[in-house]
Amino acid sequence: MDGAVDLMEASVDLSSRELMAAEREIAARHTDRFPWGSVVWAFGNLAIWLSLWPLVFMGLLPLWIAFPIAVLNVALSYLPSHEAQHDIIARPGTRLRWLNEAVGHLSTIPLLLPYRVAKLTHMEHHKHANDPDLDPDYPTHADTPLGAILASIRNRQPGASNTYGATLLRLGRKDVIFDALFYDVAFFAILFTLSWNGHAIEAALLWWLPRQIGLTYIQYYLSWAPHNPALSTGRYRDTRSFRSVLGNIGSMGMQYHIIHHLHPRIPLMRTPRAYWEMRDILAARGCEISEL
Amino acid sequence: MSEAPSLPERLITLVLQAKPLIFAFGFLAPLIAQSLRALNVPLPEGLSPMIVGLVVAGIWGGIAQWTGRWI
């Protein structure tokens, strides 16, 4: 066993500075690793979703098979962009920066979430997690799992408050709000054109409904579950580990989301390993990790 | 004092405020009509699926517009 592990075993007795040093040492082992999986995931997922359209329109794939695939595609479309938002694929000024930005912009097309909107609001979520006034994801919070699903649906109603828009206004980024408007207009134009040309059911089952289901799933596992009960703020208090009935893959790796909030540049697929190496330190810090 | 919104911003706001009705007539009406046809739902004589789609979507969209909720 190496020194870091010995440190972890004795973590309850370590000073705050020693705990931080041990935590950083573990985090450093997992950062700056190229997330090939997320890059393949981004383009593969988008390619599959795009291919559903000609396959269905040409009668090569029944709509009832394409629909659940489209739901999966939309649900899977966010996380590669999330890696890009944190510059995990490539930092600014590096050779593969274009790839980072391409993943960020392209992967969330099925979800209709512009990259700049996602990135700016997500950084605010990290800065202000669980703050009712400043966390743009705060409206997803609820007391129960069913409440979280209902909150997600309620937040998409026309009269619901738009915390992402409010956040961008607070940041003085009206220009980024236009990205969202452009996506909205483009989506409506495509949806309406398809619908009035006899393809409303295809449009509904390949895009509109998968997006509604995908958004609910994403908000449940990315916003609600890791931050529930969302009563505390602070580095070691605003996020928890949890055990999902769908397992780690079924919850898109979010069981270990606490690692992401502590060290956002650790790639998604390395957070489980980092968690288990860091778990004693998290316990010593008083984090909510009782389920996992 | 905050800056007064520009004309394009006012136009966009106006369009955004009517989003439920736009969505209802742009998407829901043809969706309802095509679903009725696909499911072979019997309709009263002289009533086309598109008329049903427009009426249902118009009422539903109007309610969503008024209350701020689809469901």
Side-chain angles (χ1 to χ4, degrees), chain B residues 18 30 32 50 53 55 63 71:
Chain B
I32 292 166
M50 187 46 80
V55 170
I63 292 170
I71 50 175

Short mmCIF file of all heavy atoms in Angstrom, two decimals, chain B residues 18 30 32 50 53 55 63 71:
data_model
loop_
_atom_site.label_atom_id
_atom_site.label_comp_id
_atom_site.label_asym_id
_atom_site.label_seq_id
_atom_site.Cartn_x
_atom_site.Cartn_y
_atom_site.Cartn_z
N ALA B 18 -46.61 34.38 -26.77
CA ALA B 18 -47.67 33.61 -27.47
C ALA B 18 -47.23 32.18 -27.77
O ALA B 18 -47.88 31.48 -28.55
CB ALA B 18 -48.04 34.34 -28.76
N PRO B 30 -51.82 19.46 -36.06
CA PRO B 30 -51.56 18.36 -37.01
C PRO B 30 -51.27 17.03 -36.32
O PRO B 30 -51.62 15.97 -36.84
CB PRO B 30 -50.34 18.84 -37.81
CG PRO B 30 -49.76 19.97 -37.04
CD PRO B 30 -50.86 20.57 -36.23
N ILE B 32 -52.65 15.90 -33.50
CA ILE B 32 -53.94 15.32 -33.12
C ILE B 32 -54.63 14.76 -34.37
O ILE B 32 -55.13 13.62 -34.37
CB ILE B 32 -54.82 16.37 -32.41
CG1 ILE B 32 -54.21 16.72 -31.05
CG2 ILE B 32 -56.26 15.85 -32.24
CD1 ILE B 32 -54.79 17.97 -30.40
N MET B 50 -58.61 17.14 -39.16
CA MET B 50 -57.89 18.41 -39.01
C MET B 50 -58.72 19.44 -38.25
O MET B 50 -58.18 20.21 -37.44
CB MET B 50 -57.49 18.96 -40.39
CG MET B 50 -56.60 20.18 -40.31
SD MET B 50 -55.23 20.03 -39.12
CE MET B 50 -54.06 19.07 -40.06
N GLY B 53 -58.45 18.49 -34.74
CA GLY B 53 -57.12 18.87 -34.27
C GLY B 53 -57.02 20.35 -33.97
O GLY B 53 -56.50 20.76 -32.92
N VAL B 55 -59.48 22.47 -33.32
CA VAL B 55 -60.34 22.88 -32.21
C VAL B 55 -59.71 22.46 -30.86
O VAL B 55 -59.57 23.29 -29.94
CB VAL B 55 -61.76 22.27 -32.36
CG1 VAL B 55 -62.58 22.48 -31.09
CG2 VAL B 55 -62.47 22.89 -33.56
N ILE B 63 -55.95 27.51 -23.13
CA ILE B 63 -55.90 27.30 -21.66
C ILE B 63 -54.45 27.45 -21.17
O ILE B 63 -54.18 28.11 -20.16
CB ILE B 63 -56.48 25.91 -21.29
CG1 ILE B 63 -57.99 25.88 -21.58
CG2 ILE B 63 -56.20 25.57 -19.83
CD1 ILE B 63 -58.63 24.51 -21.49
N ILE B 71 -50.40 21.11 -18.36
CA ILE B 71 -51.01 20.06 -17.52
C ILE B 71 -50.94 20.48 -16.06
O ILE B 71 -50.13 21.34 -15.68
CB ILE B 71 -50.32 18.69 -17.69
CG1 ILE B 71 -48.80 18.82 -17.55
CG2 ILE B 71 -50.70 18.08 -19.01
CD1 ILE B 71 -48.06 17.52 -17.60
#
